[in-house]
Amino acid sequence: MPNDPLNPGGLTLAPNESPAALALISALNMTPHIEGGYFVETDRSKDKIPNPYATESTAAVDPTRTFSTLIYYLLTPHTPIGRFHRNKSRTIHLLHKGRATYVLIHPDGNVETFVVGQSVENGERLQWIVEGGDYKASFVRPDDGECLISEVVIPGFEYTDHNFMASREELVALVGDDTAKEWEWLLRKD
């Protein structure tokens, strides 16, 4: 998939993926994601809405947006990290299987962490929302196994709406040096 903006280098499967992970990746026709893990877009609404992100200079080029998009996203013990990134649009997340830890950084610098999993009685979440403009990262611990979720993006996801946290300096500016030290390992390395 060298022409895919989220997989520009044609990333390949991580070595040593478990048979269960390989079966899931194959069954869902997933490809490696530049954030980490694997994904596949399963729906892009044909309905259009006025582009809420249009500016005077872009409105003529891109006056409408797809109403919504839907993907599967998978983290495994061999691709355990989804690196800090943000989208312009609100994203609704739904857990299908497994466990993972999420770290959100809100525009005001507030850091929120939580575990997604089936143990709702212990505070784990089955669904969660990440507002547009919030940075998010996620990871599975070795004993978590695979974590499969769906993400519904409204208005629909566009590659131009996605960006990684650029640097440790950006992280420090948002959360301060002490908190940055705790979470800098979730920054993209290249």
Side-chain angles (χ1 to χ4, degrees), residues 12-181:
T12 59
L13 293 176
N16 304 317
E17 288 291 5
S18 72
L22 289 172
L24 189 56
I25 291 163
S26 176
L28 296 176
N29 198 28
M30 300 178 100
T31 59
H33 199 299
I34 197 168
E35 293 165 9
Y38 304 94
F39 85 110
V40 61
E41 185 174 276
T42 57
D43 183 67
R44 180 168 286 271
S45 175
K46 294 186 184 349
D47 295 329
K48 300 287 185 176
I49 60 171
N51 185 349
Y53 310 121
T55 63
E56 284 186 33
S57 62
T58 64
V61 177
D62 193 14
T64 63
R65 293 296 292 258
T66 299
F67 178 74
S68 65
T69 54
L70 175 64
I71 68 166
Y72 282 122
Y73 181 69
L74 175 70
L75 290 176
T76 74
H78 293 287
T79 56
I81 299 172
R83 304 288 177 182
F84 274 124
H85 66 283
R86 66 181 169 187
N87 296 306
K88 287 183 181 177
S89 296
R90 184 177 209 239
T91 306
I92 301 166
H93 300 74
L94 307 162
L95 178 71
H96 297 291
K97 67 174 272 185
R99 292 180 84 234
T101 300
Y102 270 74
V103 181
L104 306 183
I105 300 177
H106 302 286
D108 65 1
N110 182 41
V111 177
E112 178 183 359
T113 63
F114 53 88
V115 174
V116 301
Q118 302 297 322
S119 186
V120 177
E121 65 279 5
N122 291 317
E124 294 181 357
R125 298 182 186 184
L126 296 171
Q127 56 186 4
W128 60 103
I129 295 171
V130 178
E131 297 295 342
D134 286 354
Y135 279 103
K136 71 175 175 180
S138 54
F139 60 94
V140 294
R141 299 176 196 278
D143 58 342
D144 286 342
E146 293 87 24
C147 181
L148 177 66
I149 67 168
S150 283
E151 294 184 7
V152 181
V153 182
I154 302 170
F157 177 82
E158 295 293 338
Y159 296 117
T160 57
D161 296 345
H162 173 279
N163 70 294
F164 285 99
M165 186 171 290
S167 65
R168 184 180 191 285
E169 291 73 26
E170 184 179 0
L171 180 60
V172 169
L174 273 171
V175 301
D177 192 55
D178 288 342
T179 302
K181 287 177 185 171

